[in-house]
Amino acid sequence: MNIHTQNTLPTNKTRLFCAQTQFITHCFPCKQKKTPNTMQNNVKNIFDSFNDYLVKEQELRTEIRDIVRDIDQAAKEAAIALQVIHSSIADVSAACAKARTFFDTCREGYAKLAALIPAGQYYRYHDHWHYMTQRIVFLIALTIYLEKGFLVTRETAADILGLSVSQQQGFHLDIEDYLVGILQLASELSRYAVNSVILGDYEKPLTISKFVADLNSGFRLLNLKNDSLRKRFDALKYDVKKIEEIVYDISIRGLRTEATGAAAVGGAAAAEAPSAPTAEPAAAEEKQA
Amino acid sequence: MSGYRGNKRQHYGKGSARRGRDHENVAVDENNPIIQCFREYATILDAKHDKYERIVKISRDITIESKRIIFLLHTIDPRKNNLQKVCNEAKDRLEAIFRNHFVNIAKELKDQDPYQYTRAYTNGMQEFIEAYTFYEYSCGMDISHWDAIQKKLTYSSDQNVDSSIAEKPLNEPTDAEPDEQKRSNETTGETMKLICLLHPQDFVLGLGDLSGEIMRTCINSLGSGNSESCFLHCRFMQELYKGFLSVTSIRSRDFSHKMMTLRQSLLKSENVCYNVTVRGGEAAKWGTTDETSGAMFQLQPSKDDDDEGVYF
């Protein structure tokens, strides 16, 4: 267990436990037949301490909100920096470097959050930062894809933000947040494929198509419940479709050499129907590459 | 798009609708790093969902048993003089819930962040709180503070799990809330504690449900000719309503819904008391079968949201 994170809020124990000074043991407290007038006079106590509890929670939530706003700001800046990739091929590496500086700011913010959240209450306040975390995971995944061309693992993404992946470590990167972030990456890549073609890079859509097809088969390994992650996953097939159409368009117009063409069509087919035997040529092609 | 591609595409609808049952016969490239990662993620997600479903199952059992206990408590009838007997039975059954059900939730929550799974057992918990507080109310005890119930939901694993912690170290690390103690190894070096977290909000919502039962008790006691206790029930509900009114800044949609139900129950029982006052206990009872005054009990509360529900 990690060290007890400091509680910035003054706790007023006396008020909270005013209702039960007696020692509660295993057995029920013996029944006192009360006169009706004194009966049930502690409803007020219960609600008083409930209100205290709410006020405390409220204060903490306010602090969380402030920190989250700062992190969100840095994430926005990173997102803006990365938009360059859609308009110019030359600036991609510079944009990635710039985005990485903003991730450092996010990292500091997350450290502050981690110090603020009491141990074992991550999911109590999770709703304040989960959207933001999803977006940041997406930005990290995009940056790493642009730099290296592979999918960021959950560990690496957590590492960049200074988080851990296991719940026992306290403040961690929730797996569903990570997965939603990756799904957002697919949508962005479909847009990136379109713009690559506009900018005259006819090879990029092929690699993207292969990558997104892999993502798709990866997500099919998961058993999803009917939750937000599932809904987001349902949108993935449209991204796959979009990218395939781009590959189809440039193949049909002979905008690229014939050799890669056949293999890429095989790859696209594999993406369409993972159960089809055409998955093998794609794999073979990948080994050659 | 060619028709051929369109046909292929229809696989998608089917593929994503399958709940991963026949993933086994899908040819995936196991050497692909993405696939390897996702195998691992699938394991994590499955474990989480399974745990959630197990807790939901336990919660359902708690709900069923709690409803039965509430029904049992409604059989208390001063004319039969069975208060003691029913209370004892209810007490035993409530104890059994602690012993058999909540301890299992606590086991599931071991080393987990309990807030991740509160949604899984919130219904069972609320129903249980309703039963527990109704038991206390019916037997003439004060309503417990939630900390007292939280203590009963704290188990230590060295004893037989059928008993709650009877002895607590004096240096309890209760920082802000009892769930702070959910550490696997206590500083005192004693065995670990299993905690089934009671969310205070669940407690208060359970209290809201209690109002409905008390309204029923109120009307039942009128039926059994015990009209003076109607006023007591009514007063208690006014207290509850006042408590609910005092709650501000709560982040819950259920809360306002509960509040409306509470208000309706309150109006019903106030109406009963009114009838008792105006006509005396007997007449009010006959009034329930009478067409004209029977309408008094179906009184629809006014839809406007003015808060003049508390008058003394």
Side-chain angles (χ1 to χ4, degrees):
Chain A
M1 208 59 250
N2 63 347
I3 40 164
H4 209 60
T5 43
Q6 42 118 352
N7 224 338
T8 44
L9 302 170
T11 61
N12 193 338
K13 249 187 283 184
T14 47
R15 265 195 306 175
L16 201 69
F17 296 121
C18 62
Q20 34 114 20
T21 44
Q22 58 157 336
F23 204 66
I24 310 279
T25 52
H26 168 51
C27 59
F28 276 60
C30 53
K31 289 202 272 288
Q32 319 103 329
K33 289 298 280 181
K34 289 176 184 280
T35 53
N37 296 338
T38 59
M39 190 167 129
Q40 275 87 37
N41 54 355
N42 68 341
V43 172
K44 192 172 178 314
N45 284 341
I46 288 174
F47 278 98
D48 283 350
S49 52
F50 183 61
N51 275 321
D52 290 347
Y53 161 88
L54 285 179
V55 165
K56 267 217 235 21
E57 188 177 77
Q58 199 76 6
E59 284 167 357
L60 186 54
R61 284 185 192 276
T62 312
E63 288 185 62
I64 292 171
R65 251 182 242 119
D66 290 349
I67 297 171
V68 164
R69 201 178 307 123
D70 295 346
I71 304 177
D72 212 24
Q73 194 53 46
K76 269 204 193 81
E77 304 273 359
I80 292 166
L82 285 170
Q83 287 304 303
V84 164
I85 63 169
H86 296 294
S87 50
S88 119
I89 296 176
D91 295 338
V92 168
S93 56
C96 291
K98 195 169 169 194
R100 277 184 178 274
T101 61
F102 291 118
F103 296 152
D104 291 340
T105 317
C106 295
R107 187 195 179 105
E108 287 161 22
Y110 276 112
K112 274 189 218 154
L113 267 188
L116 197 61
I117 307 297
Q121 296 188 24
Y122 176 89
Y123 287 99
R124 183 170 169 185
Y125 303 105
H126 183 218
D127 53 343
H128 285 287
W129 60 75
H130 74 286
Y131 278 124
M132 174 184 81
T133 306
Q134 288 162 10
R135 237 190 45 242
I136 294 174
V137 166
F138 148 64
L139 293 168
I140 289 173
L142 180 63
T143 308
I144 289 191
Y145 180 77
L146 294 170
E147 286 170 346
K148 314 252 170 58
F150 57 76
L151 175 74
V152 66
T153 60
R154 184 176 166 215
E155 284 78 9
T156 316
D159 210 44
I160 289 174
L161 296 176
L163 307 175
S164 70
V165 288
S166 77
Q167 206 183 86
Q168 278 70 35
Q169 300 289 316
F171 207 95
H172 61 284
L173 174 59
D174 183 55
I175 184 152
E176 295 193 16
D177 289 349
Y178 165 78
L179 291 173
V180 173
I182 299 304
L183 286 167
Q184 289 178 14
L185 171 68
S187 322
E188 187 70 6
L189 286 181
S190 74
R191 200 183 141 210
Y192 183 47
V194 171
N195 286 315
S196 304
V197 174
I198 295 172
L199 297 172
D201 183 349
Y202 296 126
E203 296 307 311
K204 188 78 76 197
L206 303 184
T207 49
I208 290 176
S209 171
K210 176 83 188 65
F211 179 75
V212 175
D214 284 346
L215 274 189
N216 191 26
S217 39
F219 271 98
R220 279 158 173 260
L221 297 175
L222 308 177
N223 295 318
L224 299 172
K225 281 171 55 170
N226 259 333
D227 53 4
S228 54
L229 180 60
R230 171 61 180 272
K231 290 188 182 72
R232 195 63 194 69
F233 163 70
D234 287 343
L236 177 63
K237 59 176 179 282
Y238 298 108
D239 300 325
V240 175
K241 175 170 178 268
K242 175 92 197 156
I243 295 169
E244 278 171 17
E245 281 170 3
I246 296 164
V247 173
Y248 170 78
D249 281 345
I250 50 186
S251 318
I252 213 83
R253 289 169 180 72
L255 292 172
R256 23 178 271 271
T257 53
E258 209 47 49
T260 46
V265 169
E272 277 184 296
S275 51
T278 40
E280 270 80 81
E285 178 235 357
E286 195 202 11
K287 286 195 189 82
Q288 286 163 16
Chain B
M1 280 290 104
S2 65
Y4 154 79
R5 293 179 62 84
N7 282 343
K8 279 276 190 199
R9 187 143 299 119
Q10 287 173 2
H11 282 290
Y12 277 126
K14 287 193 208 108
S16 56
R18 282 196 303 242
R19 291 285 313 253
R21 279 201 222 311
D22 30 14
H23 283 317
E24 275 41 69
N25 55 24
V26 173
V28 282
D29 174 19
E30 288 298 338
N31 298 327
N32 191 325
I34 293 183
I35 298 294
Q36 285 165 356
C37 279
F38 272 84
R39 285 245 179 256
E40 182 192 331
Y41 301 148
T43 322
I44 298 173
L45 273 181
D46 284 349
K48 199 167 93 172
H49 294 163
D50 290 352
K51 189 182 276 293
Y52 191 91
E53 293 305 327
R54 282 196 301 271
I55 294 177
V56 167
K57 218 183 228 168
I58 301 170
S59 161
R60 249 186 244 127
D61 293 344
I62 293 173
T63 304
I64 292 166
E65 180 62 12
S66 301
K67 279 192 195 299
R68 286 185 185 149
I69 293 173
I70 289 168
F71 185 77
L72 171 78
L73 287 166
H74 273 302
T75 60
I76 291 176
D77 192 340
R79 287 176 299 186
K80 292 183 194 151
N81 211 352
N82 60 355
L83 176 73
Q84 200 59 43
K85 188 166 136 294
V86 171
C87 278
N88 285 337
E89 191 185 341
K91 180 181 134 182
D92 292 344
R93 285 167 74 171
L94 285 166
E95 288 283 5
I97 293 183
F98 280 123
R99 230 178 11 242
N100 305 334
H101 297 312
F102 278 121
V103 73
N104 290 331
I105 293 185
K107 277 180 196 157
E108 291 287 355
L109 292 178
K110 181 172 169 288
D111 294 336
Q112 298 287 331
D113 182 341
Y115 290 94
Q116 189 175 8
Y117 298 99
T118 39
R119 295 213 58 78
Y121 64 91
T122 176
N123 294 336
M125 183 59 99
Q126 284 180 34
E127 204 66 42
F128 174 77
I129 293 295
E130 185 186 346
Y132 190 90
T133 48
F134 188 47
Y135 154 80
E136 286 177 326
Y137 179 84
S138 308
C139 303
M141 293 189 272
D142 267 349
I143 304 294
S144 302
H145 191 274
W146 71 78
D147 285 334
I149 301 179
Q150 177 69 73
K151 279 215 170 64
K152 295 174 71 71
L153 290 171
T154 307
Y155 308 87
S156 92
S157 56
D158 65 332
Q159 309 165 7
N160 294 332
V161 276
D162 63 354
S163 61
S164 314
I165 288 193
E167 44 192 343
K168 285 199 158 300
L170 291 175
N171 53 350
E172 279 179 24
T174 43
D175 266 36
E177 286 145 28
D179 62 288
E180 294 283 4
Q181 313 159 19
K182 195 187 73 59
R183 298 293 138 255
S184 41
N185 277 320
E186 286 283 298
T187 43
T188 51
E190 61 168 66
T191 52
M192 60 186 150
K193 297 204 165 107
L194 297 172
I195 290 207
C196 175
L197 177 76
L198 164 56
H199 206 303
Q201 190 172 300
D202 285 346
F203 182 84
V204 170
L205 290 176
L207 272 187
D209 290 332
L210 173 67
S211 68
E213 302 309 323
I214 291 183
M215 182 265 293
R216 245 175 252 166
T217 316
C218 183
I219 290 176
N220 286 344
S221 60
L222 178 69
S224 60
N226 188 5
S227 52
E228 63 273 14
S229 65
C230 292
F231 295 97
L232 291 179
H233 296 312
C234 189
R235 195 157 316 132
F236 177 71
M237 284 179 64
Q238 285 168 342
E239 283 293 316
L240 268 185
Y241 187 65
K242 214 162 46 166
F244 264 72
L245 280 177
S246 73
V247 173
T248 46
S249 71
I250 188 160
R251 305 161 47 97
S252 161
R253 263 175 282 117
D254 294 344
F255 191 79
S256 51
H257 183 75
K258 283 266 191 319
M259 185 113 175
M260 280 196 5
T261 324
L262 171 59
R263 193 182 156 83
Q264 285 184 11
S265 308
L266 179 66
L267 287 173
K268 272 184 195 161
S269 58
E270 278 170 352
N271 209 32
V272 168
C273 292
Y274 164 83
N275 276 313
V276 171
T277 316
V278 171
R279 318 175 188 193
E282 288 303 305
K285 190 174 70 176
W286 298 328
T288 53
T289 56
D290 182 50
E291 286 301 317
T292 47
S293 56
M296 296 298 283
F297 289 101
Q298 271 97 55
L299 179 84
Q300 282 303 310
S302 56
K303 286 281 176 276
D304 51 3
D305 278 344
D306 54 343
D307 281 333
E308 32 81 70
V310 189
Y311 25 85
F312 296 97

